Amino acid sequence: MPEAIVRVRVDAAEDLGELPRIWNYIGYDECNYTYVPEGRALLALLGRLGRPVYVRTHHLFCSGNCHGTPKWGSTNVYREDERGQPVYDWTFIDLIFDTILSSGCRPFVELGFMPRDLADPTRYDAASGDWTASAYRRAGWACPPKDYGRWHELVLRTVRHCLERYGEPEVLQWYWELWNEPDIPYWRGTREEFEKLYDYTAAAVKSAHPHARVGGPAVTNPAPGKPGSEFLSSFLSHTSVGTNHCTGGRGTPLDFVTFHAKGGGYSANASRRKESPPSVRTLVESVVSGHQIIDRFPDYRGLECVISECDPDGWAAGGAWDNVNLDFRNTEYYASYVACSFDRVLKHGLAKGWKVKALSWAFLFVGERCFEGTRTFTTQGIGKAILNLFRIYARLGGRMVKLESSASQEPRCDPDGEAPVVDGVACLGSGRLTVLLYSHHVDWDRNGSTAVSLEAVNLPFGTRRCRVRHFRVDAAHSNAHAEWVRQGQPLYPSTAQRRAIKRREGLETLEPPRAVALLGGTLKLRFTMPVRAVSLLVITPAVRRGES
């Protein structure tokens, strides 16, 4: 039976400004997955949804066979000939960026990691004299350069090449971010060496074009007492007032700040032991803590901040076969978690005047078993429930209007009480009102439903009736995983099974569209929401024949 009634009120006359589409950012480790058929198809789909979607990948400067595997990729953009002279090859960089742009997306360029011939060989496996490709894969890619001048030249040539190939108007809209998570073993140098690397990177980007955007440092959760917090603070102090290692001047250009926020973490667990669900509070507190660090530096208050990985948990390539708890990524829980956490990041940012974006570190994995449980939008080309959340995001109008819910909570609280949090955002645009509502409870074993009473006032339609379309993501709607379970959980579905599963991958309606009478410009609706669900209500004017 439904639990206590949640009252949601939307006032379409109270304009809250333009909707910041903080979610139009995605990323993944495997840069070479960009241009494989599956990658092209998913990027094309995302490109149709976004305005635009920015795409961030690891390993753009790495050396190897230019074939993507989980958590690895390479382009061979830089090597040195037998005389030790640099040789540049843009073949795979071009292929990656061409594919991103042709899909309607835009690069969020992560400048990393260190090419094999540029990595300092004294920094890894030096004692054993191991200078092999396997040693490079273990640690060499994360080492400082043997020559910072050559790193500067690599970055400079990369930005100039992109300006020549894609044009100034396009490239000036890109982000150029240095590295990834330098506070953990993604960086094998010291903090000071990373700051030096940033100085040379920023100088190179600005030499290519003074208005190109450069930033960083992409540290991990900068919560109090965490290494990422100290690293971020030191980095911002250096870029603000420190001595520039490249120019000798004071400070370093910084056009945007990046750090990462995760709600939890899971490692391999063959015992199938139940673990704690990912925390919305942990993620949001990392975002708040990171912004508080930024606000200590007057020069950086109001600077754009991209949470360049913003996810329920870490280890995107791990799946339910590695740890049974990761099965949540196949289900509606992943969608309701992201809806809840992104909503809280959005609203907290608006309240504080922060320019914040949130990047989902999710894409696809080539060759995986069906519903592997990896952090992806699709599995074997089948859209997961999380993808339908992004379809909902794409349908929201451009102007936010006031929405109040009796089941909202303070942004830094976990929705872990007796009842789930029910909240959302309402928008006007293109002659319609769109309302995104989510229901989420941290406990992934919690069941039940909530009765929702929605009242929308001051609708600007000028008609006596409106048309309501109600889309839903939950265990029974817009959820191919549920159909996969019904089909017997095949690791590699047959043609018939795949056809049945694919039929349930899109965004589905909860009920047929219906006309509802308006009383003085007010709409009243009643419906229920399961504990883990996302709804989109699209409300448009409806005119009966003979009515004006």
Side-chain angles (χ1 to χ4, degrees), residues 16 39 171 215 283 306 316 350 537:
L16 301 182
V171 175
L283 185 152
V306 182
L350 289 171
L537 293 113

Side-chain angles (χ1 to χ4, degrees), residues 18-37:
E18 183 179 355
L19 172 69
R21 296 182 182 274
I22 70 169
W23 42 76
N24 282 354
Y25 296 75
I26 68 153
Y28 45 97
D29 290 68
E30 305 78 10
C31 60
N32 304 99
Y33 283 177
T34 302
Y35 51 80
V36 300

Side-chain angles (χ1 to χ4, degrees), residues 408-419:
S408 65
Q409 295 181 12
E410 199 276 333
R412 282 188 280 178
C413 291
D414 250 340
D416 58 0
E418 286 301 312

Side-chain angles (χ1 to χ4, degrees), residues 82-387:
E82 61 277 1
R83 295 174 298 145
Q85 296 303 304
V87 177
Y88 302 93
D89 184 347
W90 311 108
T91 302
F92 283 91
I93 291 277
D94 289 347
L95 184 55
I96 291 166
F97 291 169
D98 287 355
T99 303
I100 291 171
L101 289 165
S102 66
S103 71
C105 299
R106 184 165 282 152
F108 188 110
V109 185
E110 180 194 297
L111 295 165
F113 299 111
M114 198 59 61
R116 182 175 183 268
D117 288 352
L118 190 51
D120 185 349
T122 68
R123 305 300 287 270
Y124 66 95
D125 290 340
S128 64
D130 188 356
W131 187 233
T132 61
S134 61
Y136 172 72
R137 280 284 297 270
R138 285 196 299 274
W141 57 270
C143 288
K146 64 184 182 183
D147 185 324
Y148 284 84
R150 290 195 173 187
W151 171 265
H152 176 283
E153 186 69 13
L154 169 59
V155 174
L156 175 63
R157 285 175 178 259
T158 300
V159 181
R160 281 181 174 169
H161 173 79
C162 291
L163 285 164
E164 293 167 1
R165 186 175 181 86
Y166 305 112
E168 183 178 290
E170 172 60 42
V171 175
L172 292 187
Q173 298 181 80
W174 299 8
Y175 296 80
W176 299 90
E177 177 195 41
L178 176 63
W179 222 256
N180 176 76
E181 300 182 348
D183 54 311
I184 62 175
Y186 275 94
W187 175 247
R188 301 291 176 130
T190 66
R191 188 173 65 214
E192 292 74 18
E193 286 173 321
F194 181 82
E195 291 166 358
K196 180 178 179 179
L197 189 73
Y198 183 79
D199 291 347
Y200 277 83
T201 300
V205 172
K206 295 299 186 180
S207 293
H209 198 292
H211 300 304
R213 295 189 291 178
V214 63
V219 297
T220 57
N221 292 28
K226 297 288 187 180
S229 176
E230 182 181 354
F231 201 111
L232 178 60
S233 182
S234 176
F235 175 83
L236 295 177
S237 178
H238 173 76
T239 58
S240 177
V241 298
T243 300
N244 189 301
H245 292 277
C246 181
T247 67
R250 181 176 181 269
T252 312
L254 184 69
D255 298 310
F256 60 92
V257 182
T258 61
F259 59 82
H260 298 169
K262 309 283 184 176
Y266 301 91
S267 57
N269 177 2
S271 70
R272 302 181 71 81
R273 183 181 71 252
K274 201 75 171 176
E275 299 180 52
S276 298
S279 164
V280 172
R281 178 175 183 170
T282 297
L283 185 152
V284 175
E285 285 192 336
S286 289
V287 174
V288 172
S289 176
H291 274 98
Q292 289 173 340
I293 293 170
I294 296 169
D295 283 347
R296 294 177 198 159
F297 300 87
D299 292 345
Y300 299 147
R301 288 174 189 160
L303 202 64
E304 182 179 17
C305 179
V306 182
I307 318 303
S308 53
E309 292 184 25
C310 190
D311 305 291
D313 66 294
W315 195 24
W321 292 82
D322 303 295
N323 186 319
V324 68
N325 295 276
L326 294 178
D327 185 59
F328 83 85
R329 296 164 170 175
N330 290 323
T331 73
E332 67 283 354
Y333 185 100
Y334 186 9
S336 65
Y337 179 99
V338 171
C340 180
S341 58
F342 280 18
D343 181 62
R344 290 170 176 227
V345 169
L346 169 66
K347 289 176 178 174
H348 205 77
L350 289 171
K352 295 292 185 179
W354 294 334
K355 299 175 183 176
V356 61
K357 306 294 191 296
L359 186 149
S360 295
W361 198 251
F363 192 52
L364 57 79
F365 286 94
V366 175
E368 71 174 11
R369 292 163 289 195
C370 203
F371 288 100
E372 185 85 23
T374 50
R375 188 163 358 98
T376 59
F377 292 111
T378 62
T379 177
Q380 292 187 11
I382 299 165
K384 294 162 68 170
I386 182 64
L387 183 56

